[in-house]
Every structure is written in C-alpha cells, then in structure tokens.
Amino acid sequence: MPMLPEKFLSELLDRHVNTEAFPATSDIKKLFTKIVLTLFPEQARKQIVQLDDLRLVWESIENGLESLLHDMADKLADTPQNITARYMDRIPGIYQLLLTDVEAMVNGDPAATTDYEVIRTYPGFYALAFYRLAHGLHAENVPLIPRILTEYAHSKTGIDIHPGAQIDQYFFMDHGTGIVIGETCVIGKRVKIYQGVTLGALSVDKSMASTKRHPSIEDGVVIYSGATILGGDTIVGANSTIGGNVWLTRSVAPNTKIYHQENQKIIQE
C-alpha cells in the first residue's frame, strides 16, 4: 500500500499540532440557522406553539452561543458569558431591523406578494438575516465567526456582505446575485440596490486596512444593476439614482441622477 512521504506527513502533523482551537464551522452554521428559523418560522418545517417551548429554544440558543465562545475564549475582549448576554439583548433589535427589510422588499418589488413569500424565497432577505446577526457579533469584537456567517450566506445567495458594513433600516437588494458590500460601507435608510452592484475600495493596499475604504450611500438612494462605486471618500447623496453599469469614484450631491452612456458604433451592411 503506497504511503505519503514522511516529510509531508511531518509538516502536516506540525500544522495540526500548532493550529489554534476554534469552534467548528458546522456548529456555527447550525446555531445561527436555528436563530433565523426561530425568528422567522416561515422558513422552518415545524412551528412552535407554546410560549414555554419558545423560551426553551432561546435558552438553548443562548447556551449554544456561550459554548461556542468558550471554545475561543482566549481570543475575546470580554468573557463568553458577558458577550453572550449582550448579544442576546441585541436580538429583538435585529429582528425589528429585518422586519423593515421585509417591508422594503414587499413594497419595492412589484413581483412580491406577501411577507411570507419574501421571507421564504428571497435571497436578499436570507443574506440580510445572516449579515445582521453577524454584524451584532462584529460589534462585540468577536473574531472570525461573523465572517464565517456572511460567507455562508454568500455561498447560498451570491450576495457578499462584509459583517463590518453598517446598513440602516428598510434595505432592499433586488435579485441580489453578485452584490458586493465592503467592510467600511455605510448605507442609509430605504436604499435599494440591484444585482451586480459593487460598493468597494479604490485600493486593496494592506496599509489601508484600518481606514474607511468603501463608499457611503445616503438615504433613499437607488443603484441599478452592474454599477461600481468605489472609495472611502465617495458619498452618494440622498435620493440619488445611479444607473446601470456606472463606474463612480467621486461623490455626488443629493438628488443627482447618473447614467452610463455607452459609445455605440453602428455598422451598416
């Protein structure tokens, strides 16, 4: 029976021995999927019908989160118990934010008929649910887990939202596929963006890691498909419209409309 080279096995063993303990990705996904299903039973196979049973579910979620954090306690700025308690206090606020997102999707998409349809089928809602839960952990300076959660949603929806981004209420991603929202983005109320939009950085230089690298989008902005908006100093003013395939690296005043006009050459036969 052929064996792998001894040198390779030794190097691999050294990597195993020196890898720091961290909660399993599968356990993280399972716990936060349970939170989403508990907040929005429209996605669940079985609904809870007794208040005592609901209390028990939340108790198990709280215990599960504290257990995850215990597995990485040396990487935390506070005790697992304190972080868990504060995070659980955030849950009602996260839920209320997500309800505004659902309302924005129902009101903003002519194809949406009910809240149930949005919660059950819209990838934008699914991505936002995991983003908003991840953002709450990010605010507690919990490392890596927030990114695992948003990358999990990314793999399911094609929507890439960094957990550090700041997104206000009534946010709507229509269709959603290919949307990228960077770590230092700040997005206001009632913003609507379409598929393929990138809110990114002008530079990926590591020296800019601690600076604001991504744009700010003020209240009421609509950004159509394929638009790319870059730079930490770039501000899209309130109630502006950014057309499809626009490339934008400068600020625009409120109530501005910017459209991409392609140079077309017509060849006559």
Side-chain angles (χ1 to χ4, degrees):
M1 180 177 177
M3 291 291 293
L4 291 170
E6 195 69 23
K7 183 175 184 295
F8 170 75
L9 290 174
S10 295
E11 291 174 354
L12 192 56
L13 177 62
D14 185 63
R15 190 177 187 90
H16 276 263
V17 169
N18 290 293
T19 295
E20 297 180 0
F22 197 83
T25 296
S26 59
D27 292 339
I28 295 168
K29 293 176 183 177
K30 183 177 179 180
L31 177 65
F32 282 85
T33 297
K34 185 176 182 178
I35 294 175
V36 173
L37 296 180
T38 305
L39 289 174
F40 295 96
E42 294 89 342
Q43 293 199 8
R45 286 182 295 177
K46 184 178 179 181
Q47 284 70 49
I48 300 166
V49 296
Q50 296 290 336
L51 191 58
D52 286 345
D53 291 338
L54 187 58
R55 289 193 183 99
L56 287 173
V57 170
W58 280 112
E59 184 178 328
S60 71
I61 289 170
E62 184 171 2
N63 291 337
L65 178 58
E66 189 173 326
S67 178
L68 284 181
L69 296 179
H70 267 297
D71 290 345
M72 53 182 293
D74 60 326
K75 300 175 181 64
L76 302 175
D78 201 350
T79 66
Q81 295 91 333
N82 288 343
I83 293 174
T84 299
R86 289 196 299 269
Y87 186 77
M88 296 304 293
D89 286 342
R90 293 177 183 270
I91 293 291
I94 293 171
Y95 176 68
Q96 291 301 321
L97 273 175
L98 285 167
L99 289 180
T100 72
D101 300 329
V102 171
E103 183 179 333
M105 294 176 199
V106 172
N107 292 339
D109 185 0
T113 57
T114 62
D115 290 7
Y116 184 92
E117 180 184 8
V118 166
I119 293 167
R120 190 65 186 263
T121 68
Y122 276 46
F125 170 77
Y126 193 84
L128 274 173
F130 277 88
Y131 153 74
R132 293 206 185 277
L133 290 169
H135 184 72
L137 283 179
H138 184 273
E140 292 290 344
N141 297 310
V142 174
L144 203 55
I145 288 180
R147 194 65 187 270
I148 289 172
L149 292 172
T150 54
E151 288 301 334
Y152 174 61
H154 182 194
S155 72
K156 293 286 189 181
T157 65
I159 298 169
D160 183 359
I161 310 176
H162 194 285
Q166 299 177 48
I167 302 177
D168 212 327
Q169 59 189 352
Y170 296 99
F171 184 54
F172 179 22
M173 295 178 289
D174 202 353
H175 304 292
T177 306
I179 287 172
V180 177
I181 300 175
E183 177 183 13
T184 59
C185 274
V186 178
I187 298 176
K189 299 177 179 65
R190 300 186 183 277
V191 170
K192 181 178 183 179
I193 64 179
Y194 285 79
Q195 69 273 16
V197 167
T198 297
L199 305 179
L202 267 172
S203 171
V204 293
D205 193 303
K206 291 294 287 185
S207 65
M208 298 181 66
S210 60
T211 63
K212 189 178 187 307
R213 308 181 306 282
H214 306 94
S216 295
I217 312 298
E218 294 186 343
D219 296 352
V221 170
V222 178
I223 307 172
Y224 283 97
S225 60
T228 299
I229 304 174
L230 306 177
D233 295 329
T234 302
I235 301 172
V236 178
N239 304 309
S240 291
T241 300
I242 308 300
N245 299 315
V246 165
W247 178 277
L248 186 64
T249 59
R250 60 176 177 81
S251 295
V252 298
N255 305 299
T256 299
K257 292 184 179 180
I258 296 182
Y259 295 100
H260 170 73
Q261 291 185 325
E262 184 177 2
N263 292 324
Q264 295 182 344
K265 185 177 181 180
I266 300 175
I267 301 175
Q268 294 182 343
E269 295 182 355

